[in-house]
Amino acid sequence: MRATVLYGAKDVRIENVPDARLVEPTDAVVTVSRACICGSDLWPYNEMESSETGRHMGHEAIGVVEALGPAVRNLKIHDVVVMPFAYSDGTCEFCHEGLHTSCVRGGFFGTIEVAGAQAEAVRIPQADGTLFVLHVGEDDALMPSLLTLSDVMGTGHHAARVARVSRGKRVAVVGDGAVGLCGVIAARRLGAEQIIILGRHPDRIALAKAFGATDVVSERDEEAVERVRELSGGLGVHSVLECVGTDQAMRTAIGITRSGGAVGRVGVPHYEATPLSQPSFYSNITIGGGPAPVRAYIEELLPDVLEGRIEPGRVFDRVMSLDEVPEGYRAMDEREAIKVMVKP
């Protein structure tokens, strides 16, 4: 089968690799009908050291069950399923607490250890606890929005939950990528009164407004902090969704949070120590977040997608074949595309 393999910074290739196959009794094999490129894929795309073996990329997919291990009980051949970016058994203590990304038998797709889904097919460890069956056809018109439930919509929702977004609150979203845009959807869905998007790309800002953003801040650093505070009555916002993962993004997030507020961080942190620890301490700012347990959120978010109340699939502004994936990485890295959908 063909799959996306990253061999080092900017070195993405589509290669013939061994077919995905069952390894453990709890495995499934899924034929991929939709996958995508994630903003977090751009970190290794820009920073990965050269490798002779490469890394099979991709952690978001929808597909059709092709094969099942003998221990799989809750799935059938030909089921249409969404694959969250982390696999989990669904039975451990953390899974029962809704924290599937900490599953004691879990892990992540698209790593050195587990092949990714930017491919024609993918092996799913712990299939019963990982895959979520969608009762739709494999070419349903809602596929783009359903695909976001594998990561970006659930991740934006996680940021909003951790930041304690609720009805009537003031919210700011740091980052205008697909996760940030889905964070706008999540904040509106949870009843935020004011939603400030921090970004400067016109196409993304237009989409953020369509999703419910009430204000736009294009300034950066201290100027951004001052502007958000102006827009929020001088005190800052109740909730900040940090969807970037850089030191400066976190500095901005803390700087715009009002005393007693909360920051939900879902951008993979590319810094060792959380900045501004003393100001956040003395302002009683809660900082939390991490890899979103999107498997726990699918059941909650799915009805809104199926009934058209939210349309997170609009973050996909390009559709490419598997052979075009290297171009998709380039386009996203150079901010020519918000998020690329892949149709193998």
Side-chain angles (χ1 to χ4, degrees), residues 21-324:
R21 62 183 182 85
L22 300 173
V23 176
E24 301 291 339
T26 52
D27 287 352
V29 172
V30 169
T31 299
V32 177
S33 55
R34 303 287 192 287
C36 48
I37 302 171
C38 184
S40 63
D41 292 334
L42 299 181
W43 291 109
Y45 176 72
N46 281 294
E47 298 177 354
M48 180 175 160
E49 294 183 3
S50 295
S51 164
E52 293 184 2
T53 55
R55 173 176 164 183
H56 292 215
M57 299 295 290
H59 54 257
E60 306 154 279
I62 282 178
V64 179
V65 175
E66 175 185 302
L68 294 170
V72 179
R73 299 286 180 262
N74 301 325
L75 299 164
K76 304 187 300 297
I77 301 297
H78 304 311
D79 275 346
V80 177
V81 291
V82 60
M83 181 200 90
F85 67 83
Y87 60 89
S88 53
D89 64 13
T91 62
C92 81
E93 186 170 345
F94 290 117
C95 288
H96 282 304
E97 293 174 356
L99 196 60
H100 295 71
T101 46
S102 292
C103 175
V104 297
R105 283 176 284 276
F108 298 91
F109 292 99
T111 62
I112 298 298
E113 295 78 19
V114 180
Q118 292 166 11
E120 292 181 318
V122 61
R123 179 179 77 91
I124 312 293
Q126 304 295 341
D128 268 339
T130 301
L131 297 174
F132 190 99
V133 177
L134 300 170
H135 299 288
V136 298
E138 60 180 295
D139 289 313
D140 192 282
L142 291 173
M143 276 297 161
S145 287
L146 293 169
L147 179 56
T148 68
L149 299 179
S150 67
D151 186 347
V152 289
M153 185 61 231
T155 296
H157 178 72
H158 186 56
R161 286 292 192 192
V162 172
R164 305 198 300 255
V165 176
S166 61
R167 190 161 304 282
K169 295 294 181 67
R170 298 179 186 269
V171 178
V173 179
V174 180
D176 59 4
V179 171
L181 293 169
C182 288
V184 172
I185 294 175
R188 183 181 184 185
R189 179 178 175 275
L190 293 172
E193 178 179 289
Q194 181 182 34
I195 305 172
I196 304 169
I197 180 77
L198 280 73
R200 54 175 55 192
H201 300 89
D203 54 340
R204 300 169 186 226
I205 294 307
L207 195 51
K209 290 180 176 179
F211 285 160
T214 58
D215 301 276
V216 177
V217 170
S218 58
E219 293 88 349
R220 289 186 175 178
D221 303 334
E222 287 304 314
E223 291 182 355
V225 172
E226 292 176 9
R227 182 62 182 141
V228 172
R229 287 187 171 272
E230 287 176 8
L231 290 168
S232 55
L235 300 177
V237 297
H238 301 91
S239 304
V240 178
L241 284 57
E242 197 284 281
C243 304
V244 180
T246 63
D247 177 276
Q248 188 53 56
M250 180 54 78
R251 288 180 179 274
T252 298
I254 293 171
I256 62 180
T257 306
R258 66 186 282 151
S259 294
V263 177
R265 61 175 187 169
V266 292
V268 179
H270 281 68
Y271 49 86
E272 290 299 320
T274 301
L276 300 180
S277 58
Q278 285 202 355
S280 62
F281 175 81
Y282 284 107
S283 294
N284 278 283
I285 293 172
T286 299
I287 300 172
V294 299
R295 181 63 176 78
Y297 295 137
I298 293 175
E299 192 167 358
E300 176 184 350
L301 297 170
L302 182 60
D304 282 1
V305 170
L306 294 176
E307 295 171 26
R309 288 189 291 270
I310 60 174
E311 297 180 277
R314 294 174 65 185
V315 300
F316 294 108
D317 53 349
R318 292 201 187 183
V319 180
M320 296 184 172
S321 68
L322 191 57
D323 289 333
E324 296 172 307

